[in-house]
Amino acid sequence: MKLSVAIDGPAGAGKSTIAKLVAKRFHLNYINTGAMYRAITYAAIKNEISHESVEELCSMIDELKIEFKGESLYLNDKDITEDLCLPEIAKKVSFYASIPEIRKMLVKQQRRIAENSSVIMDGRDIGTVVLKDAPFKFYLTASADKRAERRYLELQEKGIEVDYAKILHDIKQRDHIDMNRDVDPLRKAEDAIEVDTSDMNIEEVVEKLSCIINNKLNH
Ligand code: DC
């Protein structure tokens, strides 16, 4: 039986960490849609295309092949997973992700992936747009401070020197753009289950989601 799980929520709520673990438990393909928007941003920066040059961006995307292999993202056969975490990408990605034409192209690719396999997909518009009919929808949240702290530790672990106050500022700015853009803003789908992860550890969140999925599958 094909299964689809949608996970939405703001940056740093723990979506990707949780989704990867739930994917392992239920043998699902993990699709990180934020990484797809980051890959477009990466390519746009490389090609020096501003977020205002929409036509040029669309032609660029037409030439790009985005593939997930396990937890890695390949852009035209090159593994760019590590590059996608760079602060420069995080800073600019919301601008590119706000462009309706880009969203339309990526949503189409995301739906195609979900048609062909069992997936757990995380992002901002999965439960509301991409997989509207998904039987499992979760909305993960956490306070902005907690989310900034997690991003800070994550980047430090990767050896990237960062300033906590700047991360917090960028997270709040990204929340604002993601929640207030005209096209497919971040919001909880009416039928999504909200989980506040501020005071939960990873295992607790994975356990909670897994129980909900198992309960529904067994009824
Ligand atoms: O989850 P993330 O931080 O890697 O996402 C990067 C950006 O992409 C984020 O600012 C919001 C945007 N995004 C989106 O608009 N829709 C998605 N489905 C996933 C991400």
Side-chain angles (χ1 to χ4, degrees):
M1 187 184 79
K2 201 159 70 60
L3 189 64
S4 358
V5 182
I7 301 193
D8 290 302
K15 298 184 300 292
S16 60
T17 309
I18 304 301
K20 279 178 202 167
L21 293 166
V22 175
K24 285 211 176 88
R25 272 210 197 176
F26 292 91
H27 308 290
L28 308 170
N29 286 318
Y30 167 53
I31 307 298
N32 177 346
T33 63
M36 295 173 80
Y37 287 97
R38 284 171 185 257
I40 301 298
T41 307
Y42 169 91
I45 293 171
K46 282 254 168 231
N47 290 295
E48 296 179 8
I49 307 178
S50 115
H51 62 273
E52 279 155 5
S53 309
V54 176
E55 248 179 65
E56 248 187 289
L57 284 169
C58 289
S59 312
M60 179 194 81
I61 296 172
D62 272 337
E63 300 299 317
L64 295 179
K65 184 173 74 173
I66 299 176
E67 279 177 303
F68 287 94
K69 292 184 188 167
E71 289 174 6
S72 303
L73 186 145
Y74 284 73
L75 188 69
N76 291 349
D77 299 318
K78 182 177 169 226
D79 184 353
I80 59 159
T81 318
E82 289 296 313
D83 300 296
L84 300 181
C85 306
L86 293 172
E88 193 194 359
I89 308 265
K91 197 164 183 295
K92 295 191 173 158
V93 61
S94 277
F95 297 105
Y96 290 94
S98 302
I99 301 169
E101 289 83 352
I102 291 187
R103 301 201 68 81
K104 206 168 155 192
M105 291 172 102
L106 289 193
V107 167
K108 205 167 154 191
Q109 291 188 20
Q110 290 153 8
R111 286 191 179 138
R112 202 177 311 131
I113 297 171
E115 266 167 25
N116 295 322
S117 59
S118 284
V119 293
I120 180 161
M121 204 174 260
D122 76 351
R124 304 294 189 285
D125 58 344
I126 311 304
T128 51
V129 178
V130 183
L131 303 179
K132 256 193 193 154
D133 298 329
F136 300 100
K137 294 184 186 178
F138 298 98
Y139 188 82
L140 296 191
T141 57
S143 68
D145 288 326
K146 201 80 193 189
R147 291 185 282 125
E149 188 186 311
R150 288 175 186 161
R151 269 285 143 97
Y152 176 77
L153 295 173
E154 198 179 296
L155 289 170
Q156 261 205 336
E157 247 173 53
K158 288 189 173 133
I160 302 172
E161 251 333 294
V162 279
D163 174 40
Y164 172 80
K166 193 167 179 323
I167 294 197
L168 180 61
H169 171 270
D170 287 353
I171 274 204
K172 285 184 177 167
Q173 188 186 41
R174 210 127 68 85
D175 282 356
H176 184 79
I177 300 176
D178 292 345
M179 290 174 181
N180 293 289
R181 67 177 175 227
D182 291 339
V183 189
D184 307 337
L186 168 64
R187 62 181 177 80
K188 179 185 159 303
E190 269 175 25
D191 52 348
I193 295 171
E194 182 164 341
V195 181
D196 186 332
T197 69
S198 300
D199 299 313
M200 292 170 86
N201 65 32
I202 294 169
E203 290 75 40
E204 286 170 331
V205 184
V206 172
E207 208 44 54
K208 178 159 185 158
L209 268 54
S210 301
C211 278
I212 294 170
I213 295 173
N214 269 328
N215 274 344
K216 199 162 169 183
L217 286 178
N218 296 328
H219 276 98

